[in-house]
Amino acid sequence: MPRALRRRALTLSLALLAASSVVLGVVPAQALSGVAVTTIASNNVATASTPTPRPTTTSSPSPTPSPTPSPKPFAAVGEPTLSGTATVGRTLRVAPGTWKPTPSVFSYQWLRSGKAISGATASTYTLTAADADATVSAKVTATRDGYVTASATTEGKKVGRAFTDAPVPTISGTVAVGKKLTASHAAWAPAPVTLSYRWYRGSSVISGADGKTYTLVAADAGKKVSVRVTATKSGYTTVTTASDAVSVPKVLTVPSTVSFSGTPTVGSVLTAKPGTWGPSPVTFRYEWLRGGKTISGATKKTYTLVSADAGHEISVRITGSKSGYTTVTRTSGTVDAKWGFTASPSPKVTGTVAAGRQLRADVGTWKPAPTLSYQWRVDGSDVAGATSSTWTVPEWAAGRLVTVEVTAKKSGYLTVTRQSAKRSASWSLGDVLRPGTAMRTGTYLASPNGTYRLTVQGDGNVVLTKNGTPLRSTKTTGTIDPILVLREDGLLAVYSSSDRPAWQSGTTGYAVSALTLDNSGNLRLVEVDGLWTWDHKKLPVYSDATAATGSTPGRYGWAYPIRPSATMTTYSGHSGDDFPEPTGTPVYAMRGGKAKVEEVWITSGCPSWAPNNTRQKQVRITSVIDGTEFELNYAHLSKFSVKNGQTVKAGQKIGEVGSTGCSTGPHLHLGVKVDGVAKILYPRDLLGTASY
């Protein structure tokens, strides 16, 4: 068909299409408003200023095609990221991130310093030598029907060269708390390389542990420790390598020292004493040492010294081990092994142990014969200057315990000390008291025939007795820790523990040579010329009816509360002495007086560990002696033998031992108050015999 005809046909077709639109009722808005529509065809232009009306038909209109919708943007564009080590020869991977909605297709383009890398269109990319020192990134493009195609680019990674040698470190050294570990490794290449270290406890960095070495601390016990080495070099990718972890054993609880017991003489058995190790059980290994060197075969807890040990230092090394714990070794101190005496008898004290009498140390026979030295002791304390085989008992030692200690020495032999049995010195000072000598509680002067005594009592009185019956007294009752002193200036006086005078003879200035007591009971202060200046008649007549008689078991006018013994104990801060005895043991009054019988609840001062389930049975007996009031409290009784308000005599049974009130077991608690004040006088002071 000729080109002109084709143009007319196209124009006609468009006119017919427009007409059919009107017929079908789909009319452009411009046509309905009377706007003109211009159709342009080749070689002919038709213009219709007024539309030609069309007859209305009832036929159904043809559907009009819907316009194509515009593409929408993605609701959320992903943030792609790179993973992998940016080193030549290593592979990087791109993750596209989260897009909404999910794209149908992702496409990739790798970039080198912002420019596309030819052929690099996969999700991974292996870095090449051309990438060295450049920054590599990846562009991700997302496609989905109906959505605008979008792209996002990762952050870039600068590509470094790879180390040719990157060795993994190892840990050397003893793995135990207190020991030093070292990070060991081969050389990194190419050199030079800057290396840094970081030690780890488990997965946590150990603060301050950034050296090639690390000393294990207590916090590492029971944990795993490793080290990481980081290499840096300009133009190269920083690399970190990590060692295998080492398990640090736990630490045993061990004593600071170990020891052994036994006599270090040839033939004697030594026994190792490891002390307390934990947690239990701990396995011990023993090594006995001679001069610091192991003794062959001596691997038991005990070791018998042999001839080869004489003259050498002996010690023991103890090693404790337990699974999962650091093995620990402790070495004892040393002793010099020597020969032992084949005979080393204990000495005996011979002679009469009394003031002014001489004693001798009987040492027996030692083998082989040694050189002996001596030390006399009173109540366990050395007597100054008393270092010979004989010793004269001084007045102040009266009533005390005397021993002698003998020490034997011989070259090559173990020095040995032996002590005698204790012997009690008589409380008697004889029949003469010299100036400068003090009589304390319990000591006495006795007439040669033993009929008369001048005694210092625990209640503060100095009493002259005949066959135990008091005759005269200083009337100083209530004086604490009394002593009778004959001074160098001739004065005879009673003093308290605070050195305060309670009584004086008034003989200061006389040339007195002694205080004597004869068989007739005459107590006199004798002057140097033989004349006497004072006698006992200047003492008041004794008239205390509350005291114990000579036939009553006791001392110094005080009866024993528990018979036949008066063993007692006391405690710091305690208000009296305790007499442990079985329930039902009779209790006797120490002094006569008026009894007050009580059953009381203990409401204060009872410790939590002492039962307090019953009322305490107790008897209080009050005595007034020379104007001083004494109250004795007999507590924890199980039974009473007297009635309230009853007057009792010294030595009379008043009850029986029990465990009532605040008590942990059967015993008698006996406390003394002097004029209402407790803790200044105790039964042990009054009786003069106690064990506490």
Side-chain angles (χ1 to χ4, degrees), residues 36-60:
V37 177
T38 303
T39 303
I40 301 175
S42 180
N43 300 326
N44 295 290
V45 177
T47 300
S49 58
T50 301
T52 303
R54 299 283 184 178
T56 303
T57 65
T58 59
S59 62
S60 300

Side-chain angles (χ1 to χ4, degrees), residues 262-305:
T263 303
T265 55
V266 174
S268 296
V269 177
L270 303 181
T271 302
K273 301 177 70 175
T276 303
W277 298 53
S280 183
V282 175
T283 301
F284 295 113
R285 182 165 57 88
Y286 303 92
E287 296 173 275
W288 291 90
L289 312 174
R290 179 192 299 132
K293 296 181 180 180
T294 302
I295 301 172
S296 178
T299 57
K300 295 182 180 180
K301 188 175 183 180
T302 59
Y303 173 65
T304 301
L305 292 165

Side-chain angles (χ1 to χ4, degrees), residues 191-215:
V193 179
T194 299
L195 301 177
S196 61
Y197 301 86
R198 178 64 68 184
W199 293 84
Y200 285 76
R201 182 183 299 124
S203 60
S204 301
V205 174
I206 301 174
S207 177
D210 52 6
K212 189 174 183 179
T213 62
Y214 170 64
T215 300

Side-chain angles (χ1 to χ4, degrees), residues 105-179:
V105 177
F106 286 117
S107 60
Y108 306 92
Q109 177 61 59
W110 291 85
L111 310 175
R112 180 187 298 127
S113 298
K115 296 181 180 180
I117 301 171
S118 177
T121 57
S123 61
T124 60
Y125 173 63
T126 301
L127 297 165
T128 67
D131 299 313
D133 297 325
T135 299
V136 171
S137 58
K139 180 180 179 181
V140 179
T141 300
T143 304
R144 182 184 173 98
D145 289 344
Y147 286 81
V148 177
T149 298
S151 298
T153 303
T154 67
E155 290 186 359
K157 284 192 174 186
K158 188 170 183 178
V159 179
R161 295 174 178 82
F163 286 102
T164 56
D165 287 306
V168 174
T170 58
I171 295 175
S172 60
T174 302
V175 184
V177 171
K179 300 296 184 180

Side-chain angles (χ1 to χ4, degrees), residues 15-25 27 51-57:
L16 290 173
L17 179 60
S20 65
S21 297
V22 173
V23 172
L24 294 174
V27 182
T52 303
R54 299 283 184 178
T56 303
T57 65

Side-chain angles (χ1 to χ4, degrees), residues 261-438:
S261 61
T263 303
T265 55
V266 174
S268 296
V269 177
L270 303 181
T271 302
K273 301 177 70 175
T276 303
W277 298 53
S280 183
V282 175
T283 301
F284 295 113
R285 182 165 57 88
Y286 303 92
E287 296 173 275
W288 291 90
L289 312 174
R290 179 192 299 132
K293 296 181 180 180
T294 302
I295 301 172
S296 178
T299 57
K300 295 182 180 180
K301 188 175 183 180
T302 59
Y303 173 65
T304 301
L305 292 165
V306 298
S307 298
D309 298 318
H312 295 280
E313 291 184 333
I314 302 298
S315 58
V316 65
R317 181 186 297 143
I318 302 176
T319 300
S321 60
K322 182 180 177 70
S323 178
Y325 287 76
T326 301
T327 298
V328 179
T329 297
R330 290 282 186 270
T331 303
S332 72
T334 62
V335 295
D336 290 328
K338 297 181 181 295
W339 294 98
F341 289 100
T342 56
S344 55
S346 295
K348 297 179 181 179
V349 175
T350 61
T352 301
V353 188
R357 304 298 291 272
Q358 188 181 74
L359 303 180
R360 179 178 294 277
D362 180 358
V363 297
T365 302
W366 290 69
K367 293 182 180 180
T371 299
L372 300 176
S373 60
Y374 304 85
Q375 178 62 65
W376 292 87
R377 312 182 82 192
V378 173
D379 284 349
S381 299
D382 293 349
V383 178
T387 56
S388 65
S389 60
T390 60
W391 176 61
T392 300
V393 181
E395 288 83 354
W396 59 263
R400 302 182 187 275
L401 297 175
V402 173
T403 56
V404 65
E405 197 172 71
V406 176
T407 299
K409 294 183 178 180
K410 185 176 179 63
S411 179
Y413 285 76
L414 182 69
T415 297
V416 176
T417 297
R418 294 284 185 263
Q419 182 171 285
S420 70
K422 298 175 183 177
R423 291 192 60 184
S424 296
S426 171
W427 290 88
S428 174
L429 300 182
D431 60 351
V432 176
L433 182 68
R434 302 293 179 183
T437 302

Side-chain angles (χ1 to χ4, degrees), residues 606-611 663-664:
C606 184
S608 60
W609 43 263
S663 174
T664 57

